[in-house]
Amino acid sequence: MAKGLSAESITAAAAELIEQYGRGGFSMRLLADTMGVKTASLYNHIENMDTLLAEVCRYALRMQEDGELQAIAGKTGREAVWALAWAYRRFAQQHRELYWLVMDTAAGDPRVLDDAAARFTEPLNQVLSGFRLPPQEEIHFRRLFRAIVHGFASQEDEGFFSHYPASTELSFEFAIQRFIDCVLEAEKRNPS
């Protein structure tokens, strides 16, 4: 067994390589070479590639959640919504390969999907708890927020927003402001 090799160090190294070379350029051989071990040594700590990728997803989800929680710390109301929206978009842009690994893996792996749902929801729950929303509407607003920020990140990543003269930054701000407007309108209808 290689000295200092652990499931955690393998996962962190794999995440770094995926960010550097992309999901398609990542392999167990590349990981072993980078870590200075034989490929077989990796399997003393991880079961297989699927297990490793699921762990990389969890690693990425923790990174994203930590960044979002830091962004909203001490903020409430509109300020918290803005901070969360920008933190989500920034993670999707700066950690593109990890973000899409999570999205692609979650679609086929219930363990990753459950972890993703919990980690995506926690910061948003904190933000929306600052508004007086009926519980059922809060669920709808959580889904709407995710649809906006993920949809925007997805469309932007695919280059679909490059055909119009309007700034994508302004379009993102426009979308988030409309979300806030809807939340505030729902809050007015629920004075309790």
Side-chain angles (χ1 to χ4, degrees):
M1 225 180 276
K3 188 175 179 184
L5 205 58
S6 67
E8 293 78 18
S9 66
I10 292 169
T11 299
E16 190 174 309
L17 289 171
I18 289 168
E19 287 207 275
Q20 185 176 355
Y21 295 102
R23 293 163 287 164
F26 175 76
S27 68
M28 295 298 267
R29 173 88 164 179
L30 175 64
L31 177 60
D33 289 349
T34 302
M35 298 189 82
V37 299
K38 291 184 179 359
T39 304
S41 297
L42 298 174
Y43 292 104
N44 291 322
H45 303 279
I46 55 165
E47 187 178 335
N48 55 40
M49 177 70 97
D50 288 342
T51 301
L52 175 59
L53 292 178
E55 288 306 311
V56 171
C57 286
R58 288 187 182 92
Y59 177 89
L61 286 163
R62 284 190 301 272
M63 282 175 54
Q64 183 172 3
E65 183 184 36
D66 290 348
E68 290 174 357
L69 290 171
Q70 283 181 332
I72 65 172
K75 297 177 178 71
T76 59
R78 298 172 198 211
E79 183 184 21
V81 173
W82 282 110
L84 182 58
W86 285 113
Y88 187 106
R89 184 169 176 228
R90 188 171 40 254
F91 183 86
Q93 289 172 334
Q94 293 176 354
H95 302 283
R96 178 186 183 278
E97 290 295 329
L98 292 179
Y99 180 78
W100 286 107
L101 176 68
V102 168
M103 292 301 154
D104 293 344
T105 305
D109 186 334
R111 297 165 303 168
V112 175
L113 180 61
D114 291 346
D115 199 27
R119 291 190 181 277
F120 284 145
T121 302
E122 181 52 33
L124 188 51
N125 282 346
Q126 288 185 29
V127 167
L128 291 178
S129 71
F131 297 95
R132 293 180 320 275
L133 299 170
Q136 194 69 25
E137 277 194 49
E138 190 171 315
I139 292 169
H140 297 316
F141 278 114
R142 282 198 312 255
R143 290 175 177 163
L144 178 59
F145 182 86
R146 291 264 339 277
I148 291 169
V149 293
H150 171 69
F152 200 94
S154 174
Q155 294 291 299
E156 190 173 34
D157 187 66
E158 294 293 327
F160 287 114
F161 292 156
S162 62
H163 298 87
Y164 298 101
S167 159
T168 54
E169 301 303 312
L170 292 177
S171 294
F172 186 72
E173 290 174 11
F174 180 88
I176 299 305
Q177 186 57 57
R178 297 300 74 78
F179 174 82
I180 291 170
D181 293 345
C182 289
V183 169
L184 294 175
E185 187 58 38
E187 193 177 40
K188 284 182 194 173
R189 292 191 312 268
N190 186 46
S192 60

